[in-house]
Structure formats: C-alpha cells, structure tokens
C-alpha cells in the first residue's frame, strides 16, 4: 500500500504542477523519469511479494526466507549412523549430549539407558494451533538439527488414560514444504481428525511433523547421502527416539506409521518399506516411485541411490515381503501408475491400496484425503 501511495503522490504532484514547471521538468527530465521508473518497479516488487506471501500462507511452502532462498542448512554433521538395532538400540548407541556421535553401533546395554528429556515451546509458526508443541531437536545419530511439531490426541491428557500408550504417525510435507503445513489450514489435520478421535471413529494417534527441508534448495529424498546428509536417520531414528523418550508413545513397529504428500509421499512409502522393523503403514498422496519425480532430489542425481531409493525396488528386493500396508493415492500421470506398480509387486503380508484422484498436484487435492486415509489407517492400527 505504501508503494502505491508513493506513486499516487508522485504522479499527482506531477500533473498538478505540470504547467508551472515545464521548463524545470525538461532540464530534470532523465532524473525524473528514473524516479518514476523506480516507483513503478517498487510497486511491481511489492505486488509480487504480496502474492508470494499469500500463496505461501495458503500452502505453507517455506518456513523461513532461508528456505526460500536456499541458504538454510540444518545439517550440523554427517556421521556414519550406527547399525539399526531398533529404538532401544538407538538409545544405547546415541552419545550423551555434547559428545561425538559414534561411527559404529555400540554394544547393547544390559538395561535400557535413561531417556533424553527434550524441551518444548509454542510453535514458531502462527499458522500452527497453540495446542501443538515444538521441539528444536538436535539429531544425535543423524547430525541434523530442526524443529519437530507434536500434537497429542484428546485422550492423552485424560486421567482415565494416564497409563495408556499411543500409536504415532509421522507427517511429512512435500518439497518445498513446511512442517507447519499439516497442522495449519493447508492440511488441517487436527481440525479434521480430532472430532473423529473423540468419537472413536479414528484411532487416537500422536501426530508428529518433523522438518523436511534440511539442505536449503535441495530435496534430500529422505535418504542418507554420505558426506551430505543423514535424512533417513533423522526421520526414521532421531525423531522417533525423541517421541518415545518424551511421550507415552507405543514402541512397537505395529503402532507406527507415516503419511506424506508429493515428495513427502515418496518418503512415506520409501521409509515404511525400508524399515518394517519401525513402521507398520504408510500413506502416500500423489507420490512417486522414481526419485527423479522431484528434479532437485539428491537421490535422483546418483545412479545407485536413485535405484535403491525407489519404493518399488525396496519392495521387490526385500529378503522377505515386509509386513507393511500402503495407502497410495494419485491421478493418472501423477502417482496412480506408481501405485498400481506397487500393488502388482506386493506379496503377502505386504498390502497396497491404490486410490484414484482427479485433482491437481496441490494441497487442495490432498486435504480432503486426510479423513479417508486415517479411516483406512484405523483399520490397520486399531484403537486399544
């Protein structure tokens, strides 16, 4: 508005005094033209910036200017992750805060090591409801630092359920995408699911949305890329360990799931199939199998990583069919064919449920899928 007001004053002043200062205008013509041009450019810039802010607020694409400009980096170190021994093994292998992360797995502890308390605060994003907690997690195995948003279901604080543990769903945004997208108006997971959890129609899940943009203008493909990022370890090990240490969360893989859209959908399928010892199900909304579905993906740029990060490859090369259920939605030319390929390759106990959509590759297509996807998930991970 200020830029428009400036232009109006500038042009209004020009016409008001045009007759009296014609000679002066001619002498100062080039300078005056440049000032008008600068004002026009300022108006255009502010208009474009306003449109961007409105679009970003609607879709929650970027958490910060650093994410937008590709200058943010949430990778502190890239250690060699210890061998995956499950949640208890990760806690034993993780170093104490302030010490170096080991490059190999530690020997199993005779007793479970103490849990690591995490501090929480109100979400940084105003788009996130105030009943969501935010942790600024320093990944002890991955070397990744980032925010993790956590929402607990209505039953969690009910004294009648004080001894109850709860299943967990990790929510993954697309690329670019902000962790706040799942909890804000963009996907409105809380607004859609909380009433159904209260009425018993949907399992009361703890919902967890970790940061997905870890390397500025690059999509990690949710993979561990030597020397660059341990994204897979961040999502599948550090984030779950923090949840288990700080919440009454179930610790068995039968009670954990992932859900994502676009690049996050690729990650949900990929991580579920790669870690059946950690996850029972994955919800994929307009995802893809070939990592090249996201041109900026690190895994798409390496031939071997591109092959082994493909959910179809993981499914067909598993030593035994993983006990994982997938809900895979997409329209023709945007995920449906990939869903069908996974369904055709699946062998019991793996199950794949393709769901055809017709909308564009936008959150306006995925938001209405939240309820049916979680109803499906309730059939896989039932209340108890």
């Amino acid at each position: 508005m200020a830029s428009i007001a400036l232009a109006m004053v500038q042009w209004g002043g020009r016409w008001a005094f045009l007759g009296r200062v014609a000679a002066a205008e001619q002498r100062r013509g080039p300078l005056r033209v440049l000032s008008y041009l600068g004002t026009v450019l300022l108006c255009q810039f502010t208009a474009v910036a306003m449109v961007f802010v409105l679009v970003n607020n609607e879709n929650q694409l970027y958490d910060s200017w650093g994410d937008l400009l590709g200058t943010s980096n949430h990778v502190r170190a890239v250690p060699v992750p210890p061998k995956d021994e499950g949640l208890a093994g990760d806690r034993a292998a993780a170093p104490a805060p302030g010490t170096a992360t080991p490059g190999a797995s530690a020997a199993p502890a005779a007793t479970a090591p103490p849990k690591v308390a995490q501090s929480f605060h109100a979400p940084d994003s105003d788009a996130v409801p105030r009943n969501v907690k935010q942790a600024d997690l320093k990944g002890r195995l991955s070397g990744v630092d980032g925010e993790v948003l956590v929402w607990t279901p209505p039953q969690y604080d009910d004294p009648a359920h004080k001894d109850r543990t709860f299943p967990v769903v990790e929510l993954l945004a697309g690329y670019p995408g902000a962790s706040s997208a799942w909890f804000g108006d963009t996907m409105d997971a809380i607004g859609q699911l909380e009433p159904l959890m209260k009425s018993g129609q949907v399992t009361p899940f703890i919902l967890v949305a970790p940061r997905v943009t870890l390397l500025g203008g690059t999509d990690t493909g949710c993979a561990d890329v030597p020397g660059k990022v341990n994204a897979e370890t961040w999502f599948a090990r550090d984030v779950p360990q923090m949840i288990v240490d700080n919440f009454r969360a179930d610790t068995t893989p039968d009670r954990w799931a992932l859900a994502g859209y676009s690049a996050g959908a690729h990650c949900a399928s990929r991580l579920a199939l790669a870690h059946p010892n950690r996850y029972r199900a994955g919800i994929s909304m307009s995802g893809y199998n070939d990592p090249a579905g996201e041109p900026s993906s690190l895994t798409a740029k390496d031939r071997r990583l591109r092959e082994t990060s493909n959910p179809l490859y993981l499914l067909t090369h598993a030593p035994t069919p993983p006990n994982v259920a997938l809900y895979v939605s997409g329209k023709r030319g945007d995920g449906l064919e990939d869903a069908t390929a996974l369904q055709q390759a699946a062998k019991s106990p793996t199950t794949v449920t393709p769901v055809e959509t017709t909308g564009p590759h936008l959150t306006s297509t995925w938001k209405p899928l939240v309820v049916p996807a979680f109803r499906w998930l309730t059939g896989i991970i039932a209340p108890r």
Side-chain angles (χ1 to χ4, degrees), residues 16-362:
F17 295 99
L18 184 61
R20 289 178 291 171
V21 296
E25 285 285 327
Q26 289 178 350
R27 291 193 299 270
R28 294 180 296 172
L31 181 60
R32 183 59 61 92
V33 169
L34 287 175
S35 71
Y36 291 153
L37 178 60
T39 302
V40 170
L41 292 175
L42 177 62
C43 289
Q44 291 179 329
F45 172 79
T46 54
V48 170
M50 181 178 294
V51 170
F52 167 77
V53 170
L54 291 173
V55 171
N56 188 62
N57 288 345
E58 177 68 21
N59 296 281
Q60 292 294 292
L61 300 175
Y62 300 99
D63 271 322
S64 66
W65 286 104
D67 286 345
L68 169 63
L69 300 175
T71 58
S72 65
N73 186 342
H74 292 264
V75 178
R76 168 177 27 91
V78 193
V80 177
K83 183 180 178 182
D84 187 351
E85 301 284 2
L87 287 173
D90 280 355
R91 202 153 70 241
T99 63
T101 301
S105 60
T111 59
K115 295 183 177 183
V116 178
Q118 175 71 45
S119 61
F120 294 86
H121 57 83
D124 292 338
S125 172
D126 293 335
V128 178
R130 297 299 92 179
N131 60 348
V132 174
K133 303 177 180 68
Q134 177 174 324
D136 297 320
L137 177 63
K138 291 185 175 296
R140 301 172 73 194
L141 299 180
S142 65
V144 169
D145 298 340
E147 80 279 1
V148 181
L149 301 178
V150 185
W151 178 81
T152 52
Q155 294 87 340
Y156 190 88
D157 293 319
D158 185 341
H161 298 278
K162 63 182 179 64
D163 297 321
R164 178 181 181 180
T165 58
F166 291 83
V168 182
V169 181
E170 285 186 63
L171 306 173
L172 307 178
Y175 177 83
S179 56
S180 58
W182 275 96
F183 294 135
D185 290 340
T186 303
M187 294 294 284
D188 193 25
I190 297 172
Q192 295 191 75
L193 296 175
E194 185 173 21
L196 300 177
M197 292 182 183
K198 286 181 177 179
S199 64
Q201 299 178 64
V202 167
T203 299
F205 294 101
I206 297 173
L207 302 181
V208 181
R211 165 170 280 274
V212 296
T213 302
L214 306 179
L215 285 175
T218 302
D219 172 42
T220 65
C222 297
D224 284 355
V225 183
K228 294 185 178 180
V229 62
N230 286 329
E232 185 167 355
T233 299
W234 163 253
F235 293 116
R237 302 181 69 174
D238 279 332
V239 171
Q241 188 64 63
M242 185 272 287
I243 297 300
V244 168
D245 280 355
N246 291 272
F247 296 89
R248 297 196 316 275
D250 287 337
T251 59
T252 63
D254 284 343
R255 308 291 288 171
W256 280 69
L258 306 118
Y261 56 83
S262 190
H266 166 77
C267 290
S269 296
R270 181 196 182 286
L271 293 173
L273 291 171
H275 299 278
N277 63 331
R278 292 179 175 270
Y279 302 104
R280 176 69 179 86
I283 296 171
S284 167
M285 302 177 185
S286 300
Y288 45 84
N289 291 336
D290 186 345
E294 171 48 61
S296 69
S297 173
L298 275 176
T299 54
K301 295 175 172 58
D302 181 280
R303 184 189 63 80
R304 181 58 179 165
L305 271 177
R306 178 176 177 180
E307 178 184 34
T308 58
S309 296
N310 188 317
L312 185 59
Y313 176 94
L314 291 168
L315 181 58
T316 56
H317 287 74
T320 58
N323 185 25
V324 169
L326 298 179
Y327 175 104
V328 191
S329 73
K331 71 174 182 178
R332 296 185 185 278
D334 185 19
L336 183 62
E337 293 80 4
D338 288 357
T340 302
L342 289 171
Q343 183 188 40
Q344 292 174 346
K347 298 179 180 178
S348 182
T350 309
T351 62
V352 178
T353 302
V355 177
E356 184 172 1
T357 59
T358 57
H361 195 84
L362 294 171

